[in-house]
Amino acid sequence: MSRVCPDTACHAQLDALYRGHHGWLQGWLRQRLACRADAADLAQDTFVRVLLARTAGSLHEPRHYLATIARGLVIDLYRRRSLETAYLDALAARPELYEPSAEVRALILDSLMAIDRLLDGLGARTRAIFLAVQLDGLSYEKAAAQVGVSVTTVRKHLARALLHCLLLDDA
């Protein structure tokens, strides 16, 4: 922990923030989630984010800040569960002979989450064009006709999407 928060003052500020707002945050999360365990986990994850960001001492509205972080974590939780459900439904539709191991399933889910994060930063049209070409295998011409734009626009959106993915992959 000393690598993240090197001084005693930082520890004291984080401790005060945690003691003063952890109960409130956990209750706030319980109101939004059906599971107490999920609320407890996300409350802890929220404070881990504060610890890593080293912002405990500079917060003017700590509850607003904590709620903003927690809201993002709730969205991530629901997004991950949605992806898991879709993946498990697809697996259930396959014959047992082809069922992957638990380790392979975990790797696939992690990959799906990474792809989802990459695509999340794209605009709707750019994402649609990127998926039409990369996932559906459409030619630029067919993708242009499907989306209702020119081939030049398809090229521009694909370049934008690929650059976005490369920049996030390097981060």
Side-chain angles (χ1 to χ4, degrees):
M1 191 143 110
S2 62
R3 223 176 75 200
V4 175
C5 192
D7 59 24
T8 307
C10 182
H11 286 282
Q13 292 164 343
L14 185 61
D15 182 59
L17 181 70
Y18 187 87
R19 289 179 190 273
H21 301 286
H22 179 263
W24 168 83
L25 181 62
Q26 198 164 346
W28 185 88
L29 284 163
R30 264 195 309 263
Q31 290 176 348
R32 284 150 182 80
L33 301 168
C35 178
R36 291 177 76 92
D38 286 342
D41 287 346
L42 292 185
Q44 293 295 54
D45 289 349
T46 300
F47 282 98
V48 168
R49 295 267 175 108
V50 172
L51 172 68
L52 294 174
R54 300 179 187 177
T55 54
S58 62
L59 299 178
H60 299 291
E61 295 183 40
R63 288 190 175 182
H64 177 73
Y65 183 72
L66 293 170
T68 300
I69 293 172
R71 228 179 260 111
L73 291 172
V74 169
I75 290 168
D76 289 347
L77 175 72
Y78 285 136
R79 178 179 282 158
R80 179 169 180 83
R81 287 196 178 151
S82 174
L83 278 172
E84 283 180 31
T85 300
Y87 175 65
L88 292 174
D89 289 346
L91 277 181
R94 296 179 71 180
E96 274 187 51
L97 178 65
Y98 299 109
E99 186 167 332
S101 68
E103 181 180 333
V104 170
R105 287 180 16 199
L107 289 171
I108 291 171
L109 280 173
D110 286 345
S111 297
L112 287 172
M113 289 300 298
I115 291 167
D116 184 59
R117 280 190 301 275
L118 285 173
L119 296 178
D120 189 46
L122 299 175
R125 180 179 283 173
T126 302
R127 184 173 42 250
I129 291 170
F130 181 77
L131 291 173
V133 172
Q134 297 296 322
L135 189 63
D136 298 334
L138 297 183
S139 66
Y140 289 11
E141 292 79 15
K142 288 183 180 177
Q146 179 178 317
V147 179
V149 296
S150 69
V151 173
T152 303
T153 302
V154 166
R155 284 191 179 103
K156 288 179 183 177
H157 281 281
L158 278 174
R160 185 179 302 140
L162 291 171
L163 179 62
H164 172 79
C165 291
L166 285 172
L167 292 176
L168 282 181
D169 192 37
D170 288 341

